[in-house]
């Protein structure tokens, strides 16, 4: 009974992560984008344009690397669940690129074209850590808790110009009940709301509250 109560409390208190976005519109988009291709990277990047040089430097070894496989699958699944709708379908890189094979720039571009991609949503997880806090109970016992924090860079890249037209940083903060999944969901929801607000993405027919 006690363990069941603990699980129920965890469910009630879970998912309390919050996020906020600091962003810049580099160029006003000429239209709202319908078909988005999601790419996630877990190494430092700095993308001014997505040409063959920057692809080889930042993407080629990281777009489908074995080291980040589990985190990439989780993050891209969450992004698709939170952003994708019949008006804005999402294609994930994990569904198009097999793990640990070399993908050159031409193959990369060819995959984007075949997917009818209009824009690339690039998410770079730059930091993920746990903040430790302490509190003293009534009986004098010191109790520690860990809360996850994360920072993400987001780029929206037009498929024709291959240049970012919107960039942002998302700061996410969770409670001791949260994990990577809830951090990713909070980030994805906040990002989606911002892009709809900026009229970059179409809102779903039924808007989530």
């Amino acid at each position: 009974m006690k363990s069941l109560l603990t699980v129920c409390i965890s469910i009630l208190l879970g998912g309390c992560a919050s996020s906020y976005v600091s962003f810049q519109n580099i160029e006003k988009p000429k239209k709202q984008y319908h078909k988005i291709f999601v790419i996630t990277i877990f190494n430092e990047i700095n993308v001014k344009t997505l040409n063959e040089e920057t692809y080889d430097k930042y993407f080629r070894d990281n777009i489908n690397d074995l080291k980040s496989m589990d985190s990439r699958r989780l993050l891209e699944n969450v992004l698709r669940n939170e952003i994708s709708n019949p008006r804005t379908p999402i294609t994930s890189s994990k569904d198009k690129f097999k793990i640990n094979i070399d993908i050159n720039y031409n193959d990369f571009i060819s995959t984007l074209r075949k997917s009818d991609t209009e824009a690339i949503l690039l998410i770079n997880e730059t930091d993920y850590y746990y903040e430790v806090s302490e509190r003293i109970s009534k009986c004098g016992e010191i109790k520690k808790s860990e809360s996850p924090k994360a920072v993400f860079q987001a780029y929206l890249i037009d498929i024709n110009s291959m240049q970012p037209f919107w960039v942002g940083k998302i700061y996410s903060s969770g409670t001791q009940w949260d994990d990577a999944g809830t951090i990713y969901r909070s980030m994805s929801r906040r990002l989606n709301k911002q892009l709809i607000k900026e009229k970059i993405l179409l809102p779903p027919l039924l808007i989530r509250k």
Side-chain angles (χ1 to χ4, degrees):
M1 178 64 72
K2 185 176 180 181
S3 58
L4 178 60
L5 179 61
T6 301
V7 171
C8 291
I9 293 173
S10 298
I11 293 172
L12 288 171
L13 295 179
C16 295
S18 60
S19 300
Y20 73 93
V21 181
S22 176
F23 68 95
Q24 175 70 56
N25 285 302
I26 299 174
E27 180 182 342
K28 187 176 181 180
K30 299 178 177 65
K31 61 178 182 178
Q32 288 179 300
Y33 290 86
H34 298 267
K35 295 184 178 180
I36 307 297
F37 196 98
V38 170
I39 297 173
T40 52
I41 301 290
F42 294 83
N43 287 306
E44 289 295 327
I45 60 174
N46 185 15
V47 179
K48 301 286 194 303
T49 185
L50 183 46
N51 54 24
E52 187 168 3
E53 180 182 355
T54 55
Y55 175 82
D56 287 342
K57 183 176 181 179
Y58 296 118
F59 293 77
R60 192 164 182 168
D61 291 333
N62 300 313
I63 198 171
N64 63 339
D65 61 309
L66 181 61
K67 177 182 177 182
S68 304
M69 177 181 68
D70 294 331
S71 296
R72 183 167 55 252
R73 284 175 175 172
L74 176 60
L75 179 52
E76 291 188 8
N77 281 337
V78 170
L79 284 163
R80 181 163 55 190
N81 290 340
E82 296 299 331
I83 297 177
S84 182
N85 65 72
R87 305 177 77 189
T88 310
I90 297 290
T91 301
S92 296
S93 65
K94 68 178 182 59
D95 297 328
K96 295 296 181 179
F97 303 127
K98 292 183 178 179
I99 295 295
N100 207 46
I101 63 169
D102 185 45
I103 302 160
N104 62 39
Y105 184 69
N106 289 333
D107 291 338
F108 172 71
I109 294 298
S110 176
T111 300
L112 296 179
R113 301 293 184 192
K114 289 177 182 177
S115 300
D116 292 326
T117 303
E118 295 179 355
I120 300 166
L121 173 58
L122 170 61
I123 301 293
N124 173 216
E125 182 183 290
T126 62
D127 205 0
Y128 192 102
Y129 62 98
Y130 285 86
E131 187 177 86
V132 180
S133 59
E134 296 182 352
R135 66 181 181 86
I136 301 176
S137 66
K138 291 181 179 179
C139 60
E141 181 183 1
I142 298 176
K143 295 186 176 182
K144 292 184 179 181
S145 62
E146 295 183 342
S147 304
K149 314 283 182 183
V151 181
F152 306 87
Q153 291 176 340
Y155 300 79
L156 267 168
I157 302 169
D158 184 87
I159 191 63
N160 294 314
S161 67
M162 279 306 206
Q163 293 184 334
F165 60 87
W166 185 97
V167 294
K169 291 186 74 174
I170 305 104
Y171 302 85
S172 299
S173 178
T175 70
Q176 62 179 319
W177 307 103
D178 292 310
D179 56 14
T182 50
I183 288 289
Y184 290 167
R185 279 192 291 275
S186 174
M187 180 276 294
S188 301
R189 287 174 183 171
R190 186 66 187 86
L191 176 62
N192 188 39
K193 287 180 180 179
Q194 187 64 50
L195 295 179
I196 290 173
K197 182 179 179 181
E198 296 296 312
K199 297 185 178 180
I200 293 170
L201 299 184
L202 288 165
L205 294 175
L206 180 62
I207 297 177
R208 240 180 247 173
K209 295 186 178 180

